[in-house]
Amino acid sequence: MATRKDLANAIRALSMDAVQKANSGHPGAPMGMAEIAEELWNNHLSHNPKNPSWTNRDRFVLSNGHGSMLIYSLLHLTGYALPIDELKTFRQLHSKCAGHPEYGYAPGVETTTGPLGQGIANGVGFAMAEKLLANQFNKPGHDIVDHSTYVFLGDGCMMEGVSHEACALAGTWGLGKLTAFWDDNGISIDGHIEGWYTDDTAKRFESYGWHVQSVDGHDVAAIGAAIEAAKKVTDKPSLICCKTVIGMGSPNKCGSHDCHGSALGLEEVAATRANIGWNHEPFVIPADVYAGWDATAKGAAAESSWNDKFAAYAKAFPTEAAEYTRRMSGDLPANWKEATDAIIASTNEKAEGVATRKASQNVIGALAPLLPEFLGGSADLTGSNLTSTASFVHVDAKKPGNYISYGVREFGMFAIMNGMALHGGLVPFGGTFHMFSDYAKSALRMAALMKQRTIAVLTHDSIGQGEDGPTHQPIENTAGLRLIPNMDVWRPGNSTETAVSWVAAVERKDGPSSLVLSRQNVAGMKHDAAQFDLMRKGGYVLSDVAGAQVIIIANGSELELAVKAAAELNAAGTKVRVVSMPSTNVFDRQDKAYKDSVLTPGVKRVAVEAGVTDFWRKYVGLEGAVVGIDTFGESAPGGVLMKHFGFTVENVVATVKSVL
């Protein structure tokens, strides 16, 4: 019968063997955290390897994702569909065992980790989602949402600022079902960290409002006792500081950065085998070790027990049970299409000439009653982003609701939202100034990489926002977001397009959306109903004339400018088509026939957008022209700036004439 030492050493062996075979990777963290992982996964983590999507499973996040062989070893050993041959292809093309854990590849990987600090922030999102859903669905005697989130993190995660943003908010929220394990090994890639990381981490987390303990990370009894103590503290998240030796078991490289980011080497692997008493060939796990790790029976029993609880819940509360099932599956309400068509039609009928941020707020207010999973928020800019409406209830540590004040934490907000989306049952959106999407870009990129439905509400979208000046005026940001693969960026030009953009963003299940919205008012426009579906294609013909000589492409607040310039040119005999393109990303996915019907080949083109010009060359070519801005802005009223930088009817008319 395998001992607990054998079980931990199985992690060490698999980790060093896979890294050695790939000649690439980080063996040190898995080897150093083996006892922590063994205690947590064998004695505390509630999960079912045969059903990784069981909704009430505990969530496990490896925030120090460079130690990815730790989670791959755990998934393989406990019975997930990750056979030993997959571990042998670690870090190779199309392997489920990618260099850093990637959501959607290996079963049981809850989130993509790699950019340090985002895993713990995702973990905060998981725990917040659990708390919100428990508040919404649990009834006396029926706790159907009742699971924990466990996060492993390293020194790098602690150093990254996003860990401060997310963990401080976790303390404020009192997330008692969140437990983090800090791998306190004193080593990063550059060596011993005392030259660059001397924080009193325990006091730091205590100041956030966390319950903090310190243990020997190789003492399984102490680790187990600390986990049990953490479970008993229900009003605070817990941090367990685990003092470990990186590369534990390696006789010559443990405790140094030599085992952090490279293979041990064949000689050291052999020496490690002898040192830990592991007398087995590479990738060979004895049957008794597999038996000691196998979690399939225990996992099936745990899910079966929950299924019985849910059946009793469904009998007592059938409406709530059906709603829980719908929301956790990611499906929209049955009346969604009819209701949202009515919202778009009503918005179009009103044709209000308001800022698109205000039009967005109106749409949010209309969507909220349809979507109980709608979860709003803002990074301390609610009154500017206009992300809240009268129907929202603002959440705090003690009061449930559906709107979150994240504080000035743009990066943390979007990383937390990623965790919420991954958890399921919620459709999160968060607002900030578009300029500050730079702070959050890595989290937005991760949402796109993981194909998660999050929605960024990015207001004050150009120099038109005015007096705050160039520090707050986005120039390159919209183009930059458009370049993120799988990110849909919408920059609507009026209220109707804003409504369509919101509906499209909520309907999208395979990636995030960014809604780029104006501070200043835009013209009210009433569209033909036939144009609603065309708007969903990302770009469409807004107005046309027979035999158009030139096409003006515009969006956002500049759409009105294009319409006025076209009217003047058409009146003077120059035939102009106006194309509204609220989402270049969506337009690019349309078939060639449709794109050619909008942007007719051979017809000269001029693009108008208050942003960098180079992006638009893909549409206008070298023979076309772009009315844009390639410098930083200035501090002045928005209208003054737009005129100063050439966003006038006169300049658009002159530019069109120049290409003809």
Side-chain angles (χ1 to χ4, degrees), residues 7-12 14-15 29-30 33-43 45 47 49 60-62 67-82 84 87 97 106-109 150 152 285 289-290 292-296:
L7 301 184
N9 283 339
I11 294 174
R12 294 189 170 97
L14 287 174
S15 297
M33 298 192 79
E35 281 82 12
I36 308 168
E38 191 275 325
E39 172 63 29
L40 175 65
W41 277 63
N42 268 333
N43 298 322
L45 191 73
H47 64 116
F60 174 79
V61 177
L62 185 71
S68 55
M69 269 310 303
L70 177 59
I71 193 169
Y72 300 144
S73 298
L74 290 165
L75 294 170
H76 170 71
L77 290 167
T78 55
Y80 285 79
L82 194 67
I84 195 70
L87 274 63
C97 299
V109 171
Y150 296 101
F152 284 4
I285 304 295
V289 174
Y290 273 128
W293 272 109
D294 188 5
T296 55

Side-chain angles (χ1 to χ4, degrees), residues 145-160:
V145 182
D146 183 15
H147 52 265
S148 298
T149 300
Y150 296 101
V151 182
F152 284 4
L153 68 159
D155 295 313
C157 298
M158 290 293 192
M159 287 185 242
E160 289 287 359

Side-chain angles (χ1 to χ4, degrees), residues 67-120:
S68 55
M69 269 310 303
L70 177 59
I71 193 169
Y72 300 144
S73 298
L74 290 165
L75 294 170
H76 170 71
L77 290 167
T78 55
Y80 285 79
L82 194 67
I84 195 70
D85 285 345
E86 284 291 344
L87 274 63
K88 293 177 181 178
T89 65
F90 176 58
R91 287 186 166 231
Q92 305 309 301
L93 184 64
H94 303 315
S95 173
K96 292 181 180 179
C97 299
H100 292 80
E102 291 192 35
Y103 176 79
Y105 284 69
V109 171
E110 300 282 4
T111 180
T112 302
T113 53
L116 293 177
Q118 288 196 61
I120 180 62

Side-chain angles (χ1 to χ4, degrees), residues 46-276:
S46 179
H47 64 116
N48 184 3
K50 298 305 181 186
N51 183 13
S53 61
W54 170 35
T55 62
N56 200 50
R57 68 193 181 278
D58 289 343
R59 270 61 169 184
F60 174 79
V61 177
L62 185 71
S63 188
N64 45 343
H66 53 272
S68 55
M69 269 310 303
L70 177 59
I71 193 169
Y72 300 144
S73 298
L74 290 165
L75 294 170
H76 170 71
L77 290 167
T78 55
Y80 285 79
L82 194 67
I84 195 70
D85 285 345
E86 284 291 344
L87 274 63
K88 293 177 181 178
T89 65
F90 176 58
R91 287 186 166 231
Q92 305 309 301
L93 184 64
H94 303 315
S95 173
K96 292 181 180 179
C97 299
H100 292 80
E102 291 192 35
Y103 176 79
Y105 284 69
V109 171
E110 300 282 4
T111 180
T112 302
T113 53
L116 293 177
Q118 288 196 61
I120 180 62
N122 295 164
V124 173
F126 281 123
M128 289 173 73
E130 193 275 344
K131 185 169 186 173
L132 290 164
L133 291 169
N135 285 334
Q136 292 176 26
F137 286 101
N138 288 354
K139 304 292 183 183
H142 295 275
D143 291 340
I144 61 160
V145 182
D146 183 15
H147 52 265
S148 298
T149 300
Y150 296 101
V151 182
F152 284 4
L153 68 159
D155 295 313
C157 298
M158 290 293 192
M159 287 185 242
E160 289 287 359
V162 69
S163 70
H164 163 75
E165 294 183 29
C167 292
L169 188 61
T172 299
W173 269 56
L175 297 175
K177 291 186 177 177
L178 171 64
T179 300
F181 300 79
W182 170 36
D183 182 25
D184 178 15
N185 62 35
I187 297 292
S188 65
I189 290 176
D190 280 355
H192 293 270
I193 63 174
E194 59 264 21
W196 51 88
Y197 185 66
T198 58
D199 302 24
D200 189 330
T201 301
K203 287 184 179 177
R204 169 188 164 190
F205 275 74
E206 286 172 355
S207 76
Y208 294 156
W210 285 54
H211 171 242
V212 180
Q213 304 171 79
S214 296
V215 300
D216 178 345
H218 302 294
D219 183 340
V220 290
I223 297 163
I227 296 172
E228 291 299 335
K231 291 177 183 177
K232 293 175 183 176
V233 179
T234 59
D235 61 344
K236 293 181 179 182
S238 288
L239 175 69
I240 302 176
C241 305
C242 302
K243 194 65 181 175
T244 63
V245 177
I246 191 172
M248 183 68 170
S250 170
N252 301 303
K253 295 189 176 183
C254 71
S256 77
H257 67 285
D258 291 336
C259 62
H260 187 292
S262 59
L264 296 180
L266 291 174
E267 288 186 9
E268 188 65 10
V269 167
T272 302
R273 272 188 155 71
N275 190 45
I276 65 177

Side-chain angles (χ1 to χ4, degrees), residues 597-608:
S597 74
V598 175
L599 301 178
T600 304
V603 178
K604 295 291 182 66
R605 304 164 190 176
V606 172
V608 186

Side-chain angles (χ1 to χ4, degrees), residues 443-611:
L444 294 169
R445 183 179 186 273
M446 296 302 286
L449 181 63
M450 294 188 285
K451 302 179 180 179
Q452 291 305 297
R453 176 166 52 185
T454 63
I455 302 169
V457 180
L458 306 172
T459 67
H460 298 59
D461 68 345
S462 72
I463 56 171
Q465 76 94 4
E467 293 86 346
D468 280 333
T471 61
H472 283 55
Q473 293 166 0
I475 301 299
E476 77 286 7
N477 300 64
T478 304
L481 287 179
R482 288 171 177 148
L483 295 176
I484 298 175
N486 201 42
M487 171 67 75
D488 280 359
V489 179
W490 292 87
R491 189 169 183 254
N494 54 50
S495 296
T496 305
E497 288 188 355
T498 303
V500 170
S501 301
W502 258 113
V503 172
V506 174
E507 288 178 350
R508 187 176 188 222
K509 291 185 178 182
D510 60 353
S513 301
S514 293
L515 308 184
V516 178
L517 307 170
S518 73
R519 176 196 185 190
Q520 71 274 26
N521 289 346
V522 298
M525 295 184 188
K526 187 174 288 190
H527 296 264
D528 293 334
Q531 289 184 318
F532 300 164
D533 285 337
L534 299 180
M535 291 177 190
R536 290 173 176 265
K537 295 179 181 289
Y540 64 101
V541 177
L542 178 65
S543 63
D544 206 4
V545 293
Q549 301 165 270
V550 67
I551 300 169
I552 302 178
I553 312 166
N555 63 26
S557 53
E558 293 76 67
L559 184 60
E560 173 186 3
L561 190 61
V563 170
K564 289 180 177 179
E568 183 173 313
L569 286 161
N570 282 321
T574 300
K575 298 179 179 180
V576 178
R577 173 189 299 168
V578 176
V579 167
S580 176
M581 196 173 289
S583 179
T584 61
N585 308 94
V586 176
F587 179 76
D588 287 348
R589 292 200 294 269
Q590 305 307 312
D591 61 47
K592 185 177 186 299
Y594 179 75
K595 288 188 285 189
D596 286 351
S597 74
V598 175
L599 301 178
T600 304
V603 178
K604 295 291 182 66
R605 304 164 190 176
V606 172
V608 186
E609 183 179 58

